[in-house]
Amino acid sequence: MISQKDVIRAIDAADVDFSWCWECFWKLRRGEIEPRFLVDFQTRLTKAFVNLDGAYRAIKAEKNRLIERKGRYRPIWFSARMNKLDLYLTAVKEALGIGRSLGDGFAWIFYRNEGALLEAHAREQRQLLLPPNVGGVGERAFLENMQGFGGMFVLYHAITSFLRLGDVSFYDPRVGRITTIGELKTRHVEGNTYNITLGFVAEIGNNPLFEQAEQASTPDKSHSVHPDILEAVVERKLKQQMDQIIEAIEKQKKSEQDVKLDTPGNIHFRVLEDVVQRSHRKVFEFKKAGAGLLLGAWRPPRVESLGQRILRKSGNVERSVQPAQQAVQEILDPNLSDNCLFISEVGNHESGFPVTALGAVPLVWWHLEENALYDVLFGHVLVLSLFNPAQLWALLRGRGFIIETNNRSQVTSMYRKAGDRRFEIGNFHHFEHLVQHALMDENAVVNMIEATTERASLAAGDGSLRANIRPRIKV
């Protein structure tokens, strides 16, 4: 049976690599770049994921065994044990989420200007764990042994939350761009021998990857490049994935012609840093960050073990959060009939993924002092975000927008009329997430929406127009 000590041991083993990656990342942020950091970062982070994946799969396996033999156990014991295993799974997922925050920060160095590709990645389903068995072996072997293939820097997708299309990306340092995305298929030959097939998109004669692949290595070299025969079902799957990658690369090229609007705005990093630095053990410290945003921080007793920190009971949270009842009055307006409150945790990783709005900057790139950011990421401080979207709706209504909501305080329709014409904004929840999760000031969101609407109105003239808005936050 898996014990709490086993879970703590697995998380703490991963934390050794997390800590190394954290120090490495801050050297990169400070400009202390050494080539080995770029090469070793992903290898170390992948090693941490392998440890955590093993723990997660072991816990799931025990759950499945218990369910199969449920009739042999007393109901009270069975229920208690299943709850305990669910707690262990949540702890491992939280550790995976911390690792993905680090992976996101690293990948952002290369992807921050690739809006069209990020959108293509976002359409794909994210995966909690690394590929099992042969697939995982092949991906890790490619990352460790083929770095620099074709003069490219290889980015491994599985250790991030936002790279989901394909398995690897290739960054060309000569042009400073992601030039293609690759899909890996691995076949076990015998013993320690595997065949790895790399599928990628390239212009013939105009891409170093294609040139490298054309120069087939001789058998006495460390790597042999030659066509591999794939099973029919694998080949069909690879073709489908290649079609998706081709579509993404084409959209990347076309995105150069996209209209770009820059709208200034404030992000409440200073407020966050202030409440984190003022946080203590007794109660939450709260501070208003915008018309409808309140941030609060609480610092429980310090525990050095990441595994113990994640699994420990948080103490009397109800007592600690009591100041919120008074503080929340600052973001409620008695003149508004649709006041509501959404509560979330800044730096929450319980799902196994960071809570990051599409287009927002990863947590580890936020403009916070290093110790404050470390405390938020690694759970030494609990930070709450209390958001009243009615304040944002009121600002937009003041600019002539019409907003309709349902009984769950969700926007069902948002538009602006100009004579007989109607300009509608879809997926409005995304803009709310920029406030709640990316800490963007409401006025910045309103200015962005208004500038886009006015530009779209000019472009449409007397006709109709559908425009995709891709907000990108730059800090």
Side-chain angles (χ1 to χ4, degrees):
M1 291 178 61
I2 295 171
S3 68
Q4 181 168 305
K5 288 183 179 180
D6 295 328
V7 177
I8 292 173
R9 190 180 301 114
I11 294 175
D12 286 350
D15 190 37
V16 173
D17 294 306
F18 288 167
S19 298
W20 186 93
C21 290
W22 171 261
E23 293 297 330
C24 172
F25 179 79
W26 272 90
K27 287 180 180 178
L28 296 176
R29 282 195 60 165
R30 291 191 294 264
E32 301 169 8
I33 298 177
E34 295 182 25
R36 67 180 181 87
F37 292 157
L38 295 174
V39 174
D40 293 346
F41 185 97
Q42 295 180 103
T43 303
R44 290 290 295 264
L45 192 53
T46 301
K47 177 173 171 284
F49 273 70
V50 171
N51 286 333
L52 293 172
D53 280 11
Y56 188 92
R57 288 190 167 99
I59 298 167
K60 289 288 287 186
E62 182 175 335
K63 282 194 68 175
N64 291 336
R65 286 195 300 271
L66 290 177
I67 292 172
E68 290 175 359
R69 305 171 184 177
K70 183 178 179 180
R72 302 181 184 182
Y73 307 113
R74 290 181 293 113
I76 294 178
W77 181 92
F78 179 83
S79 177
R81 182 59 184 169
M82 294 297 282
N83 289 337
K84 180 69 72 174
L85 291 174
D86 284 337
L87 177 65
Y88 294 164
L89 288 175
T90 299
V92 174
K93 285 195 292 185
E94 185 166 344
L96 285 167
I98 292 172
R100 283 200 167 87
S101 273
L102 292 166
D104 285 353
F106 184 81
W108 192 253
I109 298 172
F110 308 94
Y111 254 96
R112 62 184 181 275
N113 296 320
E114 303 291 357
L117 287 183
L118 287 171
E119 186 177 5
H121 280 291
R123 288 196 294 269
E124 302 301 314
Q125 184 176 0
R126 58 191 185 183
Q127 302 296 324
L128 177 65
L129 305 178
L130 302 180
N133 305 323
V134 172
V137 170
E139 290 183 6
R140 295 193 293 275
F142 188 90
L143 176 66
E144 294 172 7
N145 296 288
M146 302 299 286
Q147 190 61 261
F149 180 67
M152 303 287 191
F153 185 78
V154 181
L155 283 169
Y156 186 32
H157 294 177
I159 55 174
T160 76
S161 69
F162 59 78
L163 301 182
R164 310 171 193 171
L165 175 63
D167 299 314
V168 291
S169 291
F170 294 93
Y171 176 84
D172 189 343
R174 288 162 291 195
V175 297
R177 296 293 301 273
I178 299 293
T179 56
T180 193
I181 296 169
E183 179 72 29
L184 300 172
K185 300 298 180 187
T186 305
R187 180 171 62 87
H188 183 213
V189 180
E190 61 179 0
N192 292 326
T193 302
Y194 297 84
N195 278 350
I196 302 175
T197 298
L198 168 65
F200 63 92
V201 180
E203 296 180 14
I204 297 178
N206 192 34
N207 188 296
L209 282 177
F210 182 82
E211 296 172 5
Q212 182 77 27
E214 284 286 276
Q215 299 171 0
S217 302
T218 57
D220 60 335
K221 292 188 177 181
S222 58
H223 308 294
S224 177
V225 181
H226 58 83
D228 188 24
I229 300 175
L230 300 176
E231 296 179 3
V233 64
V234 177
E235 188 170 3
R236 285 196 299 271
K237 179 64 174 177
L238 180 60
K239 183 182 182 303
Q240 178 185 359
Q241 291 165 326
M242 286 298 97
D243 290 341
Q244 292 175 306
I245 292 172
I246 289 171
E247 181 183 358
I249 296 298
E250 288 300 318
K251 287 185 177 181
Q252 179 199 32
K253 294 177 181 178
K254 293 178 181 178
S255 69
E256 298 295 333
Q257 304 172 4
D258 290 349
V259 176
K260 297 179 176 61
L261 298 175
D262 290 327
T263 56
N266 180 40
I267 300 177
H268 298 292
F269 293 141
R270 289 186 178 180
V271 176
L272 174 59
E273 185 171 281
D274 181 55
V275 295
V276 169
Q277 291 177 341
R278 290 192 292 110
S279 62
H280 50 82
R281 299 181 183 182
K282 189 174 181 181
V283 293
F284 273 85
E285 289 286 341
F286 286 95
K287 187 171 183 178
K288 187 178 180 182
L293 184 66
L294 190 70
L295 297 178
W298 173 55
R299 186 180 297 270
R302 190 173 183 89
V303 174
E304 294 304 323
S305 162
L306 178 61
Q308 291 178 2
R309 197 156 62 245
I310 291 176
L311 278 167
R312 71 181 168 189
K313 293 182 179 179
S314 55
N316 192 349
V317 178
E318 291 185 4
R319 178 181 177 185
S320 301
V321 83
Q322 281 180 356
Q325 299 175 11
Q326 180 177 354
V328 77
Q329 299 303 317
E330 298 183 52
I331 59 173
L332 301 178
D333 187 341
N335 297 315
L336 299 177
S337 60
D338 45 13
N339 283 302
C340 53
L341 193 64
F342 292 93
I343 302 175
S344 59
E345 181 185 343
V346 176
N348 183 294
H349 299 97
E350 286 188 357
S351 67
F353 302 92
V355 180
T356 306
L358 180 63
V361 178
L363 175 65
V364 294
W365 278 103
W366 285 12
H367 283 183
L368 300 178
E369 187 269 332
E370 182 176 350
N371 290 334
L373 188 51
Y374 176 86
D375 285 347
V376 173
L377 175 62
F378 287 94
H380 288 292
V381 172
L382 177 63
V383 180
L384 294 181
S385 166
L386 289 79
F387 175 51
N388 176 17
Q391 297 281 13
L392 176 60
W393 303 339
L395 288 171
L396 286 164
R397 286 168 177 147
R399 302 281 185 97
F401 289 92
I402 298 171
I403 296 177
E404 299 172 351
T405 61
N406 59 22
N407 57 7
R408 299 181 62 186
S409 298
Q410 297 171 327
V411 173
T412 56
S413 179
M414 178 203 166
Y415 59 92
R416 174 191 269 177
K417 288 186 175 180
D420 295 333
R421 306 180 67 192
R422 169 170 164 154
F423 301 92
E424 186 162 354
I425 303 292
N427 297 321
F428 183 71
H429 66 278
H430 176 71
F431 296 98
E432 293 176 324
H433 286 182
L434 292 177
V435 179
Q436 184 178 3
H437 299 299
L439 311 188
M440 182 182 284
D441 186 78
E442 289 100 333
N443 288 292
V445 174
V446 171
N447 291 338
M448 177 172 55
I449 292 174
E450 187 166 46
T452 304
T453 303
E454 291 176 356
R455 185 60 180 264
S457 177
L458 291 173
D462 295 328
S464 300
L465 177 70
R466 178 184 178 89
N468 286 328
I469 305 174
R470 301 191 195 103
R472 292 287 175 262
I473 299 176
K474 298 180 179 179
V475 297

